[in-house]
Amino acid sequence: MESLERILTEHPFLENFDPKQIKLLVGCASNVVFKAGEFLFRTGEDADSFYFIRHGKVVIETYLPQKGPIVIKSREAGEVLGWSWLIPPYQWRFDGRAVELTRAIALDGKCLREKCEQDHDLGFDIMKRFAMMIAQRLEATRLQLFDIYGKDTSK
């Protein structure tokens, strides 16, 4: 049986993370499994966790009354899903739905926020990693818009 500590240590998001801090994360972590079609979270619900995807695929989508669900992006093995746990009011802004059997490590956002308040080095490391991830995703969105509209949307 694999340990959560080993799994987290090997996750790309936590590359070169301090082993003492990994132990703190393990205290907030649990294995989760989602069946195809099952929602991990829904828009407006409390964002009380985020996920390290180990296997499977999750789509991030929004619902438009005239069109139904619209897929915005997908997340797969090796990726992190969710940052709404980090920013008040801690509510999901989109839906997350497994499109195939998905195994992940869920980290309890409230637990982790408390640990970050107690250990500011941990909080700073987490914030740097999430800030980099959010910046990369915003850049990818800009490129998508450039693709769709055929012009540079940053100006």
Side-chain angles (χ1 to χ4, degrees):
M1 184 157 178
E2 296 179 285
S3 76
L4 289 174
E5 187 172 339
R6 188 186 66 70
I7 294 166
L8 290 175
T9 298
E10 293 177 357
H11 196 281
F13 184 77
L14 297 174
E15 185 177 0
N16 299 320
F17 211 69
D18 185 311
K20 290 183 281 189
Q21 292 177 336
I22 294 282
K23 289 182 189 301
L24 292 173
L25 295 180
V26 168
C28 298
S30 61
N31 275 303
V32 292
V33 177
F34 300 94
K35 297 175 186 166
E38 188 175 353
F39 283 91
L40 286 71
F41 50 84
R42 303 294 301 254
T43 302
E45 291 179 344
D46 290 341
D48 52 11
S49 57
F50 69 98
Y51 304 90
F52 291 103
I53 300 175
R54 298 186 59 213
H55 170 80
K57 183 176 180 179
V58 176
V59 292
I60 301 164
E61 56 191 17
T62 192
Y63 183 84
L64 296 176
Q66 309 84 347
K67 297 188 184 238
I70 304 292
V71 173
I72 297 167
K73 202 71 177 159
S74 64
R75 296 286 171 247
E76 298 179 2
E79 295 186 285
V80 175
L81 174 64
W83 49 268
S84 296
W85 69 276
L86 191 56
I87 301 168
Y90 312 117
Q91 291 183 329
W92 292 110
R93 290 156 176 88
F94 300 101
D95 297 337
R97 182 176 50 83
V99 293
E100 58 188 12
L101 180 69
T102 300
R103 291 175 181 12
I105 303 297
L107 273 94
D108 181 301
K110 184 176 181 192
C111 173
L112 190 52
R113 285 192 304 269
E114 289 171 1
K115 288 183 187 265
C116 288
E117 283 295 329
Q118 295 166 5
D119 181 340
H120 291 176
D121 288 339
L122 172 66
F124 184 65
D125 285 347
I126 293 285
M127 286 299 291
K128 283 192 307 187
R129 289 164 194 263
F130 270 94
M132 179 65 74
M133 181 184 75
I134 292 166
Q136 290 168 347
R137 291 182 182 173
L138 286 171
E139 178 63 14
T141 300
R142 186 184 74 80
L143 293 173
Q144 266 184 314
L145 291 172
F146 182 73
D147 228 18
I148 292 169
Y149 296 107
K151 59 183 177 182
D152 189 346
T153 59
S154 67
K155 297 179 182 176

